[in-house]
Amino acid sequence: MGGVYGYRIDSDLPLTRLRSGPLTRGSLSVAVAHDDLLAEPAEIISLVLGLDADPVFAVARTEDSLLTWCRLTGSARIDAGAGQIFVAPEGDPEAQEDRLLNTLIALLLAQRGELVLHAAAVQTERGAVIFCGPSGRGKSTLAAVLGTQGFPILAEDVIVLTVQDGCVLAWPGPIGVRLDPATAQTLGGSGSTVVRGKHLHVPQAPSSS
């Protein structure tokens, strides 16, 4: 049992990158769908093309939900009001989990009005340090390097911010950082699992010498 972004995740899919806490914001559910999630009429609001100019990811809006499709991981229906995500998974389980935790849940929370940033983040004695920027600019690598120096990694791709009692709270995403193979090997740590073409890196604690 665990969660991300402060929510407990109750899932039909096996999830290995959940955090143990703090999970004080309620629960979200993930269920495997048994019907065609893309059969419902919807308006496409976002379309991502690959290097071959073919679609790789799409988001569409219905009257009461979001529909997503990914060439690698399948389709999903997001009901933000109910806190539910229905998935029709395809392909690699690690890629499915990454898409669920770093994209689908982020979309659900954004639909609820929460501030969701495309960013990596680490924890310091004075609070969270957040690195925002487009993909491929080194956010994950910087977080991983700081992780090897003893700064706990809060996020590799998505961080969620809320305001409580006048303070900004940063709610951490899934455990681990996806890095290119050479970077993961240089930094050490567990990196044998490949997720969407990159090695999942969990930084080792720095030595006490």
Side-chain angles (χ1 to χ4, degrees), residues 61-153:
R61 188 186 304 278
T62 73
E63 291 185 358
D64 58 1
S65 64
L66 291 180
L67 301 179
T68 70
W69 168 85
C70 175
R71 186 164 68 183
L72 294 177
T73 60
S75 56
R77 179 178 184 272
I78 301 170
D79 186 335
Q84 295 179 325
I85 299 175
F86 296 92
V87 294
E90 298 178 7
D92 180 67
E94 284 79 14
Q96 294 168 16
E97 177 176 16
D98 185 71
R99 180 64 76 186
L100 171 66
L101 299 182
N102 277 320
T103 303
L104 302 184
I105 293 177
L107 285 171
L108 185 154
L109 298 180
Q111 286 294 297
R112 287 184 165 186
E114 298 192 15
L115 180 57
V116 179
L117 301 180
H118 179 205
V122 298
Q123 181 180 338
T124 72
E125 293 181 355
R126 302 185 62 180
V129 178
I130 298 173
F131 319 109
C132 297
S135 297
R137 298 298 175 89
K139 301 184 301 297
S140 297
T141 299
L142 179 56
V145 169
L146 291 173
T148 64
Q149 302 304 306
F151 296 94
I153 298 175

